[in-house]
Amino acid sequence: MRRLKILALWAAVVVLAMGMAFATVPRAAAHDKWTFVWDRQFPDTTSDLYGVDALDANHVWAVGTGGAVLFYDGSTWTRQASGLTLETLYEVSALDANHVWAVGGHGIVLFYNGSSWSAQSSGTTRALHGVFALSGTHVWAVGAGGTIRHFNGVVWQEQASGTAQPLQSVEAADANHVIAVGSGVRLFNNGTGWASMGATTDDFSSVSALNATNFWASGQNGRVSYFNGLNWVNQATPPLAGDEQVSGISAASAGHVWACTNQGMVIFYDGTEWQFESYADPALMDISAADTGNVWAVGAGGRIMYGHKFEPPATNRDWGTDSRGMTSPQTNWYLAEGCTGPGFVTLIEIANPQAAAATVNLTFMADDSVSVVPAFVVPAQSRATLNVAGYMDDEWGVSTRLHSDVGVVVERSMYSDAMTWGHNSIGVSAPQTTWYLAEGSTGPGFETWVLVQNPGAAVANVNLTYMTPSGPVTGPSAAMQPHSRQTFDVADTLPGAWSVSTLVSSDHPVIAERAMYGNGRAWAHECVGLNAPGTNWFLAEGCTGPEFETWILVQNPGTEPAHVQLTYQTASGPLVGPTATLAPNTRQTFDVGATVHTWDVSTRIVSDRPVVAERAMYGSDRRWAHDSIGITGAVSNWYLAEGETGDNVETWLLVQNPTVEVANVTFTFLTPAGRGPVVTVSVPPQSRRTFNADDYIAYYRFGVRAASTRPIILERSMYGQCPT
């Protein structure tokens, strides 16, 4: 089971593809890749780990360089004293919690009796690469020079292998069905002695036995071979990079076989075909399945990946909203969108993360009127919510300007009065003369509206330019009166256009946002514009699980082609995404689900020319949708004004860690009654983690302050049901 010994540890670019298997075994219960996820675990070691064996979900051992022996009790990895400091241990095998063997260089054999490790004399000084315990009187170890040693319960004795080739792995279905594999060799022991299973040129590193008629062996060049009790048959694996080694393999059932590679891949066999399941950088060297729901893979630098069953939350989502966090509190905020006409609800959310109370002044601007709200106080470390209809009712277009005497953070949420759709956006702290909006569509069933606020005292002459996959299209122009808001229907200029970005330019500073609706306003999403393109973008949210769509929208407003590279960051680590060249003044759309299938996926976009990036998500057959702009750099402090837990409402905090170190993130919840719970979580390097706010706070509405030990990206998504 699960062995790779003495192979170079190195990582490479991951290539995602699919392959079909030619040889099959009887199909077992289906493995649902959507309810099986891989997470990274963090032992207190940087030792390279070569071997792992999972007895059950609460008894897992891993071994490696420097005599490292690690034990997992179901919650924590701890180091066990091996008595070694310089030697390397290559494999470990557990018969039960009180009978565990580990082997390594120079003929090392260690035995664990349930309380401590001690050395046993193997009778050889040759390196031992593999070990397997069938019973207390049948334990085999294999290694260099064709070495095979057998433990009979008292002593280790030599068994003749008939080969001088190095052996890497051994496993037994029973005492009469034992297989050992190595460099160009496969050996079988029927209970009386070892014999060759026929000539082979393949170098094998690992073997796994399910029973007497189901063995799998893996090795170089992506090789996986299956033994059915009579013959060996090669099975097709997904295309792997170059001479990638399938370094470990482990079978939990005929339809649940996992393998890992020395370039960080995990692949899975469901009884019919091998497919990609996870990816981690750096190399993975061994894998062990305790059962069909608990699998561990180990590798370079103390890397440990845990595969396990995951049950997604059972929800009935009628609407969804999403927004990236804000990086600093400000004293001035602007929000271009808002509507209090029939069927619309507009809320302003204000979070005060300061130690002092904030005195806030609000001004609402409609097409032809202005309403000033009397000053009010938001207490320290608290959150307040205002219904705009209480100050400016029955207005189809309402923008907001907010001023505070101390820094606060502000968002705006809009809903239909029946709560069948919702959307949300952060505010911006200053008007600008140029705005970019990457998303937009006027295809059948889509509405796209560009919303412009002129908060200044002078007329603003505004021009819109639309950017499509085929190039720019001149849009409308308008002279906007001071302290006003104007709405532009993109379909008036570009009807039936599936992909439309927008450039808003003005001779005086303004605010620009974009709202979209679809399926007869069954869903909606909205986003503020960006006032500058960039060469580096991060988007924390994303999901490509069942009934989820995630789209990355990139706008090139420049005069030269832009070459972009997408990289996806998941709970398991990074995955290289697509590349593309965007012509000047065009827009391009990327379907994340075409590359990666996972519940949690963030995106990083790198371009050689400045571009603009957003992400749109849809779910439940487009019953709901939400959208967010990207951010050009990770920071250590984030703020969110909106959040809610309660009946029929979910709030999720989405953290993307693009750094190479663990980020410890402290969430402080800000409630209408003041500071709420303070919680610290960890996010692995180059990965994405999702946190359910309901696990930490039961308040109806809240804001969040997040402080991280490493620069991160923070977003928040909310989902809810229509009132019954």
Side-chain angles (χ1 to χ4, degrees):
M1 189 175 358
R2 322 162 288 269
R3 329 279 190 226
L4 170 66
K5 306 298 154 254
I6 322 205
L7 289 176
L9 289 166
W10 60 289
V13 171
V14 175
V15 178
L16 186 68
M18 284 296 206
M20 298 297 294
F22 298 114
T24 64
V25 297
R27 191 180 184 93
H31 170 78
D32 186 350
K33 64 185 176 182
W34 301 117
T35 59
F36 198 89
V37 299
W38 286 85
D39 295 321
R40 186 175 174 186
Q41 295 182 331
F42 291 88
D44 186 18
T45 185
T46 57
S47 296
D48 293 333
L49 300 176
Y50 284 90
V52 62
D53 196 30
L55 180 65
D56 55 43
N58 301 314
H59 295 84
V60 187
W61 285 266
V63 298
T65 57
V69 176
L70 305 175
F71 174 69
Y72 182 69
D73 62 3
S75 61
T76 306
W77 283 94
T78 57
R79 188 155 185 153
Q80 294 182 334
S82 67
L84 305 175
T85 57
L86 300 177
E87 293 83 354
T88 296
L89 296 172
Y90 292 118
E91 189 53 282
V92 59
S93 180
L95 178 62
D96 55 44
N98 301 317
H99 295 82
V100 188
W101 285 265
V103 299
H106 308 292
I108 292 171
V109 174
L110 299 182
F111 174 71
Y112 182 69
N113 63 6
S115 60
S116 63
W117 288 89
S118 60
Q120 291 183 340
S121 175
S122 67
T124 183
T125 58
R126 288 179 171 175
L128 297 174
H129 303 148
V131 62
F132 181 76
L134 177 67
S135 68
T137 58
H138 283 299
V139 186
W140 290 268
V142 300
T147 298
I148 299 180
R149 311 297 293 181
H150 176 260
F151 184 68
N152 61 12
V154 180
V155 297
W156 286 90
Q157 297 175 322
E158 182 180 0
Q159 289 187 339
S161 68
T163 183
Q165 293 296 105
L167 299 173
Q168 306 287 4
S169 180
V170 60
E171 190 150 325
D174 54 51
N176 300 320
H177 295 84
V178 191
I179 291 180
V181 298
S183 298
V185 61
R186 294 178 298 216
L187 303 178
F188 183 77
N189 188 331
N190 63 2
T192 61
W194 290 91
S196 172
M197 300 184 76
T200 179
T201 59
D202 293 323
D203 288 340
F204 290 100
S205 56
S206 181
V207 64
S208 180
L210 181 64
N211 51 44
T213 57
N214 286 282
F215 281 80
W216 285 265
S218 66
Q220 285 185 338
N221 300 318
R223 174 72 69 217
V224 172
S225 292
Y226 167 65
F227 181 66
N228 60 13
L230 296 173
N231 303 298
W232 286 96
V233 181
N234 290 334
Q235 292 182 332
T237 58
L240 302 173
D243 60 351
E244 190 164 353
Q245 179 112 9
V246 184
S247 47
I249 196 164
S250 182
S253 77
H256 294 81
V257 188
W258 285 269
C260 64
T261 79
N262 68 335
Q263 295 187 31
M265 303 297 298
V266 174
I267 58 177
F268 174 75
Y269 184 68
D270 64 1
T272 300
E273 66 177 2
W274 284 93
Q275 56 192 295
F276 284 109
E277 186 164 272
S278 184
Y279 23 82
D281 185 18
L284 295 173
M285 310 304 287
D286 199 10
I287 195 165
S288 178
D291 50 45
T292 59
N294 294 278
V295 188
W296 282 265
V298 302
R303 173 78 59 158
I304 297 181
M305 302 300 297
Y306 171 48
H308 58 99
K309 290 181 178 178
F310 165 73
E311 295 300 330
T315 59
N316 181 20
R317 295 171 171 173
D318 294 310
W319 55 265
T321 69
D322 173 271
S323 185
R324 55 159 255 208
M326 291 157 278
T327 58
S328 64
Q330 301 289 333
T331 57
N332 291 293
W333 290 100
Y334 299 87
L335 296 151
E337 169 65 309
C339 180
T340 59
F344 287 77
V345 177
T346 300
L347 305 175
I348 305 298
E349 297 100 11
I350 307 165
N352 176 14
Q354 311 293 356
T359 300
V360 174
N361 295 272
L362 279 168
T363 301
F364 297 117
M365 305 174 189
D367 292 343
D368 54 5
S369 62
V370 175
S371 177
V372 178
V373 177
F376 61 94
V377 172
V378 180
Q381 300 189 70
S382 73
R383 140 84 186 265
T385 305
L386 280 82
N387 188 336
V388 177
Y391 305 95
M392 185 169 275
D393 195 15
D394 199 25
E395 289 283 355
W396 286 105
V398 183
S399 294
T400 303
R401 179 175 63 200
L402 179 147
H403 174 76
S404 173
D405 61 345
V406 301
V408 295
V409 291
V410 178
E411 297 184 43
R412 180 215 53 257
S413 298
M414 282 181 57
Y415 302 93
S416 71
D417 58 358
M419 300 294 285
T420 54
W421 57 260
H423 59 62
N424 171 280
S425 177
I426 60 173
V428 295
S429 58
Q432 304 286 341
T433 57
T434 303
W435 292 94
Y436 302 95
L437 299 153
E439 170 64 310
S441 177
T442 59
F446 284 76
E447 306 171 48
T448 299
W449 305 84
V450 176
L451 320 157
V452 182
Q453 173 189 12
N454 177 14
V459 172
N461 294 297
V462 175
N463 297 284
L464 274 64
T465 301
Y466 301 125
M467 299 179 186
T468 73
S470 58
V473 175
T474 300
S477 300
M480 292 185 60
Q481 295 303 307
H483 312 301
S484 70
R485 134 85 188 264
Q486 193 155 338
T487 303
F488 301 89
D489 183 356
V490 178
D492 287 344
T493 303
L494 276 176
W498 284 108
S499 300
V500 184
S501 294
T502 304
L503 165 65
V504 178
S505 58
S506 174
D507 61 351
H508 286 85
V510 295
I511 312 296
E513 298 186 31
R514 179 215 57 255
M516 286 180 60
Y517 301 88
N519 294 345
R521 299 205 170 178
W523 60 260
H525 59 66
E526 203 272 354
C527 201
V528 69
L530 291 158
N531 52 58
T535 57
N536 200 34
W537 291 99
F538 298 93
L539 296 153
E541 169 65 307
C543 179
T544 55
E547 299 188 1
F548 283 78
E549 306 170 50
T550 299
W551 303 86
I552 305 300
L553 320 156
V554 183
Q555 172 186 11
N556 176 14
T559 58
E560 298 182 39
H563 305 283
V564 299
Q565 169 72 66
L566 275 64
T567 301
Y568 301 123
Q569 295 176 322
T570 74
S572 301
L575 174 68
V576 175
T579 61
T581 298
L582 277 70
N585 298 306
T586 65
R587 132 90 185 265
Q588 193 154 335
T589 304
F590 301 88
D591 180 3
V592 179
T595 302
V596 59
H597 304 283
T598 183
W599 288 102
D600 302 320
V601 55
S602 295
T603 304
R604 181 176 184 179
I605 301 154
V606 177
S607 176
D608 64 346
R609 301 293 181 199
V611 295
V612 180
E614 291 187 42
R615 177 215 56 257
M617 279 181 60
Y618 303 87
S620 302
D621 196 25
R622 299 208 170 176
R623 186 175 181 177
W624 57 262
H626 56 63
D627 176 279
S628 178
I629 54 174
I631 189 164
T632 56
V635 299
S636 297
N637 292 289
W638 288 92
Y639 302 87
L640 295 162
E642 172 66 310
E644 184 174 335
T645 54
D647 293 341
N648 302 323
V649 180
E650 314 161 49
T651 295
W652 302 85
L653 303 176
L654 320 159
V655 183
Q656 176 183 9
N657 177 10
T659 75
V660 296
E661 299 183 63
V662 176
N664 296 311
V665 184
T666 299
F667 296 126
T668 300
F669 292 91
L670 312 173
T671 80
R675 193 181 78 176
V678 179
V679 179
T680 299
V681 298
S682 294
V683 182
Q686 296 186 318
S687 71
R688 140 84 187 270
R689 282 289 186 273
T690 304
F691 302 97
N692 187 352
D694 195 51
D695 291 340
Y696 314 121
I697 185 170
Y699 286 94
Y700 186 58
R701 287 173 173 165
F702 57 85
V704 177
R705 180 178 64 216
S708 175
T709 57
R710 296 286 180 264
I712 58 169
I713 314 298
L714 176 66
E715 291 189 36
R716 176 216 59 255
S717 59
M718 285 177 57
Y719 303 93
Q721 295 176 246
C722 302
T724 56

